[in-house]
Amino acid sequence: MARARGRDERRSPTIYDVAEAAGVAASTVSRAFSRPGRVNVDTAARIHAAAAELGYRANPLARALPTGRTSMLALVVSDVTNPFFFQIIRGAEGAATEADRTLLVADVHESVAAERLALDRALPLVEGVVLGTSRLSDAAIRVVARERPTVVVNRVVAGVPSVVTDNARGARAALEHLAALGHRSVVYAAGPEASWADGMRWRTLLEAAPDLGVRVHRTDPLAPTLAGGEGATTAVLGTRATAVVAYNDLVAIGLLRGLAAAGVGVPRDVSVVGFDNIFGADFCTPALTTVAAPLSALGQHAVRTLLEGLGTRTPAGVRPALLPAQLVVRGSTAPARVTAGLRRR
């Protein structure tokens, strides 16, 4: 098949070049790529042969942008290296694939500025957005939701669909477990200051403590990482509490390291409870008692909620989807000793 005459070899071939080479209208070429069932088989074969010879590739994104139907969704996560997000991403990806959508994942490194930039770049390209543990303000999230259908994971924002674990029940279950083991002084190793889940867990501990005969303390906000937990060891030791509830499993595992280095035995001298039941929570020594979140289900439910809302206006009074939390008891908790307390040995 002869090449279209007069085409500049240095530029990329266009739909018009293919149309000229195949002897058809540009609209026919467009249909051959976007709706092949509406083009005669022989004509379609001629078009594809011309496209192959010219090196033309259809750009589905360019065709989709005017309508907004790109078949792509965005999932923005605060730290992709945190195992908390592994199963959320996998669950979200599975739900997107079931719906014949592609999921784009953006890691914003616990940075509000990076999250804003990622959204500025992604919003024109996607049909909807899932925000995983966003650090943006509620007002900023509502602005995003006005631009594209949005679902928030692990946080509640008025007027925006959200999917959360039952943090209140999980935090109470952790404190009830420690109280039943005889612990009367518990310290909460706090998470990031901008974390909705952190505030919910701390308020629950404060409210539940008097009923259970427990005194609770709180550290300053911590990075939700192994280093954050390990770095909080001195502050935790200073409370002389006999048990710790950590913001997440990474903080808890970091504390296990820090306490071991300080000569404090877990659970001999102090019990430690984490949150989320991430991959690896049972690999550490001792294996971590934790409040398990249904991580894969969070991702699945968020994407399915997003897909249900495409093309519709979300009612302002939408209620968050609340998924169950479950305490998983392992080796990092044990009965309090009468003389125990967080101290150097």
Side-chain angles (χ1 to χ4, degrees):
M1 182 178 293
R3 287 184 179 274
R5 290 176 295 178
R7 186 174 70 83
D8 185 347
E9 298 293 336
R10 293 171 296 179
R11 68 175 175 84
S12 298
T14 68
I15 194 172
Y16 301 101
D17 297 321
V18 176
E20 182 181 353
V24 298
S27 59
T28 304
V29 176
S30 177
R31 284 197 300 275
F33 284 101
S34 62
R35 298 179 180 180
R38 298 184 60 183
V39 178
N40 176 275
V41 173
D42 293 337
T43 302
R46 192 164 73 252
I47 289 170
H48 284 285
E53 183 176 352
L54 293 171
Y56 171 80
R57 295 187 64 186
N59 185 345
L61 183 59
R63 292 199 310 268
L65 286 178
T67 66
R69 293 189 293 272
T70 64
S71 295
M72 294 194 295
L73 309 174
L75 170 60
V76 180
V77 299
S78 56
D79 181 4
V80 78
T81 66
N82 184 340
F84 172 79
F85 291 108
F86 292 176
Q87 293 182 57
I88 289 178
I89 293 171
R90 184 61 58 84
E93 195 276 335
T97 299
E98 287 175 2
D100 196 27
R101 298 301 206 283
T102 298
L103 185 72
L104 308 180
V105 179
D107 175 18
V108 296
H109 309 280
E110 289 284 349
S111 165
V112 170
E115 187 169 359
R116 290 182 184 277
L117 180 60
L119 286 167
D120 285 345
R121 290 174 173 173
L123 286 178
L125 307 176
V126 299
E127 295 183 43
V129 179
V130 175
L131 297 176
T133 313
S134 176
R135 305 305 185 207
L136 296 176
S137 67
D138 285 5
I141 290 174
R142 282 191 282 268
V143 169
V144 173
R146 286 196 290 270
E147 292 287 325
R148 285 288 187 272
T150 301
V151 175
V152 184
V153 175
N154 206 35
R155 177 171 172 178
V156 173
V157 177
V160 180
S162 58
V163 182
V164 297
T165 304
D166 194 341
N167 285 279
R169 180 163 297 192
R172 186 175 182 94
L175 198 60
E176 287 174 345
H177 170 64
L178 294 172
L181 291 173
H183 295 279
R184 294 293 173 258
S185 180
V186 175
V187 56
Y188 176 60
E193 194 168 10
S195 167
W196 176 88
D198 175 77
M200 176 64 71
R201 292 165 188 173
W202 172 237
R203 286 193 297 273
T204 299
L205 294 175
L206 277 177
E207 293 168 2
D211 295 339
L212 298 172
V214 176
R215 289 176 288 108
V216 291
H217 319 269
R218 175 188 174 99
T219 68
D220 290 334
L222 304 172
T225 61
L226 291 173
E230 194 166 1
T233 302
T234 299
V236 168
L237 285 168
T239 68
R240 301 188 66 82
T242 63
V244 183
V245 175
Y247 165 74
N248 68 5
D249 289 344
L250 287 182
V251 170
I253 294 169
L255 275 169
L256 293 183
R257 292 181 178 180
L259 294 171
V264 176
V266 177
R268 180 191 64 200
D269 301 312
V270 56
S271 289
V272 177
V273 179
F275 257 90
D276 301 330
N277 196 30
I278 61 172
F279 176 80
D282 55 344
F283 291 176
C284 53
T285 303
L288 186 64
T289 294
T290 184
V291 178
L295 301 178
S296 180
L298 284 172
Q300 290 175 357
H301 198 98
V303 168
R304 288 170 182 165
T305 300
L306 181 63
L307 292 169
E308 289 171 3
L310 292 181
T312 65
R313 294 179 68 98
T314 301
V318 65
R319 294 174 62 86
L322 193 65
L323 303 189
Q326 179 181 1
L327 182 70
V328 178
V329 178
R330 298 193 181 107
S332 66
T333 52
R337 296 195 308 161
V338 174
T339 58
L342 292 183
R343 59 189 184 280
R344 295 181 183 274
R345 298 184 64 80

